[in-house]
Amino acid sequence: MSESLYPKATKALSDKRHELAPEAEAAFRAFSQAVFKDGALSRKTKQLIAVAVAHVTQCPYCIQGHTKGATREGATPQEIMEAIWVAAEMRAGGAVAHSTIALAELDGGSS
């Protein structure tokens, strides 16, 4: 992420976020740790889901962090790319599904 709108994530920025809202930041960290623990879904599966969601939400920090996390949990580059393609299909599917609104309007309105 060089020369972009997004500053490099640094410890100083993390410390500042904590300093400005320590309770909320601590609660978010605890929530994140709880979400990504092994449960009905493995940590690897959760990280692959996070990679896909990060691409839909278009968060560069999340894409980087969860790609690293998925790799750490044993995901292969092929699994990560498949997760990204699932995200792309779901995003495109939303546009296709919502075309019914435009089609209904073209047919004289939805009322």
Side-chain angles (χ1 to χ4, degrees):
M1 285 189 293
S2 61
E3 295 198 35
S4 76
L5 293 174
Y6 299 97
K8 181 173 173 51
T10 64
K11 182 170 178 355
L13 289 174
S14 179
D15 290 346
K16 185 68 167 184
R17 183 174 43 240
H18 177 77
E19 174 190 319
L20 293 172
E23 289 180 19
E25 195 270 342
F28 183 79
R29 279 186 190 261
F31 176 61
S32 183
Q33 288 171 354
V35 165
F36 284 97
K37 284 184 0 184
D38 270 324
L41 297 173
S42 69
R43 289 190 316 247
K44 176 183 164 183
T45 298
K46 290 177 179 187
Q47 287 293 341
L48 286 168
I49 291 168
V51 168
V53 171
H55 280 79
V56 172
T57 61
Q58 299 178 327
C59 173
Y61 301 109
C62 297
I63 291 169
Q64 265 189 335
H66 291 292
T67 298
K68 287 177 186 174
T71 301
R72 234 183 352 262
E73 295 300 331
T76 65
Q78 293 81 6
E79 289 173 314
I80 291 167
M81 193 64 235
E82 277 194 32
I84 294 165
W85 279 117
V86 169
E89 191 283 336
M90 293 299 295
R91 183 82 181 224
V96 171
H98 281 83
S99 70
T100 58
I101 297 167
L103 293 172
E105 190 62 34
L106 291 171
D107 282 343
S110 56
S111 347

